[in-house]
Amino acid sequence: PLTPTQQQAKAEAVLNVVDQTNWFRLGVPDAPIVYMIHDPNCPWCERSMQLLAPLVAQGQLQMRIIPIGTLAESSLAKSAAIISSPNPGEAMQRYEGRAKAPPPAQTVTQDSILLVRQNEQFARDYELEGTPQFIFRGFDGIPRIIRGMPRNMPGDLIRLVRGS
């Protein structure tokens, strides 16, 4: 386990490069930013997004979703379809969830698979294992990485991001 100082240094390093991943935005551009490493077959990712959706819709939070495809056989195709969609947020709603079928194979391009694979490599490079992962700079300026869904979601996350 990392010490608090090491955790903060890791979070700062990740924040310095996370914008270079293949992400898409949910919410308004001027809201506080939270990056989320997301697998469409992760039940905790799905639940987190359900709980965060009202805050995103109200303009209190901007989610930048970094799709990966590691949890199930259909994860890669789902993530590739989401990231290459003209409306990734809508595509995420269509494919997110273990019970939902993957997109037709002919709709998933090699280019979109490459984007997802690059995100997976980013997660490996920074040892960001598991989903969801939340990456952000708190209202107090402290960089943070939260692995997994906070127990009091969305309250805990919004307090760290907005200070309220």
Side-chain angles (χ1 to χ4, degrees):
L2 300 176
T3 67
T5 302
Q6 291 169 322
Q7 288 173 349
Q8 192 170 335
K10 176 182 177 176
E12 188 67 52
V14 170
L15 272 171
N16 286 336
V17 296
V18 70
D19 197 45
Q20 298 167 24
T21 60
N22 303 303
W23 54 268
F24 63 90
R25 176 188 359 260
L26 298 175
V28 295
D30 59 345
I33 298 167
V34 174
Y35 290 90
M36 178 184 182
I37 298 177
H38 176 278
D39 186 300
N41 285 313
C42 167
W44 298 112
C45 293
E46 182 179 18
R47 183 69 181 135
S48 293
M49 289 310 304
Q50 290 168 351
L51 293 169
L52 292 169
L55 298 172
V56 172
Q58 295 165 9
Q60 293 185 47
L61 202 57
Q62 175 192 155
M63 298 298 299
R64 292 187 178 179
I65 307 298
I66 304 168
I68 63 170
T70 57
L71 283 182
E73 193 172 312
S74 64
S75 292
L76 179 60
K78 287 179 176 183
S79 285
I82 291 167
I83 201 165
S84 64
S85 171
N87 186 337
E90 184 180 285
M92 191 166 83
Q93 289 178 347
R94 189 172 334 129
Y95 298 121
E96 185 178 52
R98 288 185 180 269
K100 294 187 181 171
Q106 66 270 22
T107 65
V108 178
T109 68
Q110 289 302 310
D111 288 343
S112 61
I113 288 172
L114 179 61
L115 295 175
V116 175
R117 292 292 191 213
Q118 289 169 344
N119 287 344
E120 292 168 2
Q121 186 62 52
F122 162 79
R124 279 191 300 276
D125 288 349
Y126 288 92
E127 299 176 347
L128 301 169
E129 298 171 4
T131 53
Q133 296 264 348
F134 299 94
I135 304 159
F136 59 96
R137 187 171 304 282
F139 75 95
D140 52 7
I142 296 173
R144 290 187 168 84
I145 298 172
I146 298 175
R147 179 177 180 209
M149 187 178 92
R151 183 170 301 196
N152 177 24
M153 180 66 120
D156 289 346
L157 185 63
I158 200 70
R159 267 190 292 287
L160 290 170
V161 172
R162 297 187 59 95
S164 57

